[in-house]
Amino acid sequence: MSVQRLPLNVSELLSGRVIETERLEFKEGWNPDPIVRSICAFANDFHDIGGGYIFIGIEEKDGRPVLPPKGVPLEQIDRIQKELLQYCNLIQPNYFPILSVEDVAEKKVIVLWAPGGQNRPYKAPRSVTSKEKQYEYYIRQYSNTVIAKREQLQELLALTATVPFDDRINHQADLQDLKLPLIQAFLQEIKSGLLEQSESMPFKDLCRHMALVDGSEEYLKPRNAGLLFFNDRPERFFPLARIELVNFVQGVAGDVIEERFFTGPVQQQLRDCLRFFRNNVLQERVIKRPDRADADRFVNYPYAAFEEALVNAVYHRSYEIREPIEVRINPDCIEILSHPGPDLSIHIASLNQDRIVARRYRNRRVGDFLKELKLTEGRGTGIPKIRRALALNGSPAPVIETNEARTFFLVRMPIHPDFVLHNRVKVQVEVPVDRDEVQVAVQDSLESLVLTATEQRVLEFCRTIPQAGKAISHKLGYDNLTGNVRSALRHLRELGLLAYTVPDKPNSRLQRYLTTPKGLHYLEHRARE
């Protein structure tokens, strides 16, 4: 076991602000039986939350650390390490946490980092010190280590040798694909004591200590999460692992469209896109009121809401699926689309509740890195925070969409109402800006419009999610893009009911079709008939 410093900030870890408190356990002294049981439970990572940390030398009270710590006498540390190695050999299959000796308030504290294992399920003796060994499967239940009950055991056994994609090794990559400057920049940002040691320790030992690699000495391979954060071109290994932003300046039916792709390490993509939003999309408006001194201040889209929605997409998307995160900026809303949808354990109806609890997380290591960089909390608070940020700004509530098959996840944030009329004047200068007049004009045109059944189904397919031509054909029951489907697509575009997502490049491989606001009015009109 290693004795290097942890690849995170210990003070932040103890505070519970970076890692959830249920993933932290505190022991006043060296007591091998409960400690090995907890190591086993963290290794099983029943909920795919990333394992946990055990502090030896810190007393616990009501689930919180008692500081300053009592610490571990320096002369005991070597003995504890040797005994821990001996007892961890009893875990089946063998599992060894990463050991670090940290200074907390001038006391030596042993920290055991037990990330989710690659060969679960694991079992350990009830007592490692007894002669007769009775083995059990242990899991974490809230802040406790417990024996897996019948149903839990069945579910744990079903997870045999299954590891979340971001924590698996990548057989197409090599150790040199992990870049030391990116790793050191990360350690510097989170103020880890491992930064200084990284200058002198062998690179493969550094990567092992950070759990960025796995395998034998002769076949040492990076884990996917390491490549996503510490390789300058992760798309080499995960095609379309990027953020694509499309700004429909004049709406999806307009002629002006701006595209921007954000690539590179995941944290860089995220920050570059957030920077673009802040500098190019975010607008503030100040309205002075005659009846009071304070003016009303609001923005078109609150930054906090956009940040939460984008981080949520980066955290919970699947990096196995070859689809980018799409950010669509429309004159009246922003849409953030990722694939697939939320875990099946989350009921669709709960997406608009104050707290969303997932039984499992799709990307346990991606989540940990984002938490350490303080880009997310990872406590199911993302969507509620989006709702609160929009409400505080006076904006309409967000629209959260997915489907029963959970193939996509869409967050739509409407623009602040006071910006709607402004945008309509700027973009559609020839259209009367009186809202009642606009509604009457649209209604009159829709009443005389007659579409075929195929055309109506196409509008429904493209109502919320842009669809490729082949995908539309498949939904209609055809193997290929047939002539009548092409005719329907062309006719709907001519009527202004359907639009290209990339209008200036009709033959782009990224080309999709999306129902326009006029098309949505048509569908609503048909539904009322």
Side-chain angles (χ1 to χ4, degrees):
M1 283 178 290
S2 304
V3 291
Q4 284 85 16
R5 305 291 295 275
L6 286 174
L8 44 74
N9 186 296
V10 175
S11 298
E12 292 285 341
L13 186 63
L14 285 170
S15 71
R17 291 192 295 267
V18 174
I19 299 297
E20 298 89 335
T21 53
E22 55 264 34
R23 296 175 59 192
L24 305 177
E25 191 163 295
F26 303 95
K27 301 294 182 184
E28 183 178 354
W30 169 236
N31 188 350
D33 287 337
I35 288 174
V36 171
R37 292 196 293 265
S38 289
I39 290 172
C40 178
F42 284 132
N44 277 324
D45 200 14
F46 187 60
H47 298 291
D48 285 332
I49 59 176
Y53 301 82
I54 302 171
F55 289 80
I56 303 173
I58 299 181
E59 186 182 356
E60 177 185 346
K61 183 177 181 180
D62 299 327
R64 303 292 300 175
V66 177
L67 299 174
K70 293 186 176 180
V72 178
L74 191 61
E75 62 272 14
Q76 295 183 16
I77 292 176
D78 188 58
R79 176 181 61 82
I80 291 173
Q81 185 182 358
K82 290 177 180 178
E83 290 183 10
L84 184 64
L85 181 63
Q86 173 190 343
Y87 294 139
C88 284
N89 269 303
L90 298 175
I91 299 175
Q92 297 178 359
N94 291 156
Y95 176 92
F96 302 96
I98 295 171
L99 184 146
S100 176
V101 179
E102 301 286 338
D103 294 312
V104 179
E106 300 182 352
K107 297 285 186 178
K108 296 295 182 184
V109 172
I110 294 176
V111 186
L112 303 178
W113 175 25
Q118 297 278 316
N119 300 300
R120 64 184 177 186
Y122 297 90
K123 59 183 179 179
R126 286 193 176 199
S127 173
V128 294
T129 55
S130 65
K131 292 183 179 180
E132 297 294 328
K133 303 291 192 294
Q134 181 180 352
Y135 278 81
E136 301 285 0
Y137 292 97
Y138 293 94
I139 61 173
R140 293 290 287 184
Q141 194 168 62
Y142 301 108
S143 298
N144 301 309
T145 292
V146 299
I147 297 173
K149 296 180 180 178
R150 183 177 178 181
E151 290 183 359
Q152 295 168 327
L153 179 57
Q154 290 176 347
E155 191 170 353
L156 179 62
L157 293 173
L159 296 173
T160 300
T162 60
V163 176
F165 178 77
D166 68 326
D167 215 10
R168 297 178 200 165
I169 65 172
N170 192 301
H171 297 280
Q172 281 68 52
D174 294 306
L175 179 63
Q176 57 266 29
D177 289 313
L178 298 173
K179 305 303 180 184
L180 179 60
L182 292 174
I183 294 174
Q184 290 179 327
F186 169 79
L187 294 173
Q188 182 177 24
E189 180 173 351
I190 66 172
K191 297 180 173 61
S192 168
L194 185 59
L195 174 62
E196 183 177 351
Q197 294 179 332
S198 70
E199 299 287 351
S200 56
M201 65 190 303
F203 183 60
K204 66 179 180 180
D205 291 349
L206 172 65
C207 292
R208 278 196 185 278
H209 190 70
M210 294 181 65
L212 300 178
V213 296
D214 198 27
S216 61
E217 288 296 315
E218 63 274 13
Y219 193 76
L220 194 61
K221 295 289 184 178
R223 299 189 189 193
N224 288 327
L227 295 168
L228 285 167
F229 280 83
F230 307 119
N231 180 277
D232 48 7
R233 293 176 55 208
E235 280 195 83
R236 291 169 51 207
F237 308 100
F238 318 102
L240 296 180
R242 66 189 185 206
I243 300 172
E244 296 184 358
L245 184 144
V246 183
N247 185 8
F248 298 101
V249 180
Q250 298 178 337
V252 292
D255 296 326
V256 181
I257 181 173
E258 299 173 351
E259 285 185 299
R260 187 177 291 266
F261 294 169
F262 300 96
T263 60
V266 168
Q267 68 275 29
Q268 178 183 315
Q269 295 181 28
L270 182 54
R271 285 169 167 161
D272 287 349
C273 188
L274 290 173
R275 189 179 302 110
F276 179 87
F277 171 82
R278 185 188 292 276
N279 295 337
N280 299 279
V281 179
L282 188 65
Q283 298 178 34
E284 184 181 30
R285 184 157 297 164
V286 180
I287 297 180
K288 295 183 178 180
R289 303 296 184 184
D291 56 337
R292 61 178 187 269
D294 294 337
D296 288 340
R297 291 179 176 271
F298 50 86
V299 293
N300 51 352
Y301 304 101
Y303 179 83
F306 180 80
E307 180 183 34
E308 286 292 336
L310 187 62
V311 170
N312 186 73
V314 170
Y315 186 171
H316 298 295
R317 64 158 290 178
S318 169
Y319 291 93
E320 292 182 272
I321 297 177
R322 297 189 175 193
E323 290 286 351
I325 294 171
E326 296 181 36
V327 179
R328 299 196 293 266
I329 301 175
N330 302 296
D332 60 346
C333 70
I334 286 180
E335 297 171 313
I336 299 179
L337 173 69
S338 58
H339 302 273
D343 185 81
L344 290 173
S345 64
I346 301 175
H347 296 291
I348 294 179
S350 72
L351 292 176
N352 290 310
Q353 295 178 357
D354 288 336
R355 182 172 174 82
I356 299 170
V357 180
R359 290 190 58 204
R360 287 206 166 78
Y361 287 85
R362 183 171 289 123
N363 298 309
R364 62 190 186 190
R365 292 301 305 284
V366 167
D368 274 353
F369 285 136
L370 291 176
K371 292 170 197 172
E372 288 158 15
L373 292 168
K374 298 182 180 178
L375 291 169
T376 186
E377 292 181 356
R379 292 175 169 84
T381 59
I383 292 176
K385 286 181 72 173
I386 294 171
R387 294 173 58 204
R388 286 195 296 273
L390 288 167
L392 288 172
N393 189 57
S395 302
V399 178
I400 313 295
E401 294 186 20
T402 186
N403 55 10
E404 292 296 335
R406 310 300 171 91
T407 58
F408 73 92
F409 189 79
L410 179 71
V411 178
R412 181 183 295 112
M413 296 181 292
I415 197 170
H416 189 283
D418 279 24
F419 279 84
V420 174
L421 186 60
H422 170 76
N423 286 346
R424 184 172 289 150
V425 172
K426 182 174 65 175
V427 175
Q428 302 177 8
V429 286
E430 296 182 4
V431 178
V433 298
D434 182 271
R435 298 182 185 185
D436 293 335
E437 291 182 19
V438 172
Q439 184 63 37
V440 170
V442 171
Q443 192 71 24
D444 290 344
S445 65
L446 294 179
E447 288 179 355
S448 60
L449 193 59
V450 178
L451 298 181
T452 66
T454 296
E455 291 169 342
Q456 292 180 41
R457 292 180 67 190
V458 169
L459 288 183
E460 286 287 355
F461 293 153
C462 302
R463 186 173 193 146
T464 58
I465 305 297
Q467 302 285 346
K470 288 184 178 179
I472 294 171
S473 290
H474 291 162
K475 289 177 182 290
L476 291 170
Y478 301 108
D479 292 332
N480 298 303
L481 192 57
T482 62
N484 66 322
V485 176
R486 292 180 187 275
S487 177
L489 295 173
R490 182 172 59 254
H491 186 222
L492 290 171
R493 285 195 297 107
E494 291 172 349
L495 292 172
L497 303 178
L498 196 70
Y500 282 143
T501 58
V502 191
D504 56 334
K505 298 178 181 178
N507 298 320
S508 169
R509 65 177 182 82
L510 301 175
Q511 191 64 262
R512 300 290 188 273
Y513 295 89
L514 183 65
T515 302
T516 65
K518 183 178 178 182
L520 294 176
H521 280 300
Y522 173 83
L523 293 175
E524 293 170 1
H525 175 71
R526 292 286 300 177
R528 290 194 296 268
E529 289 183 344

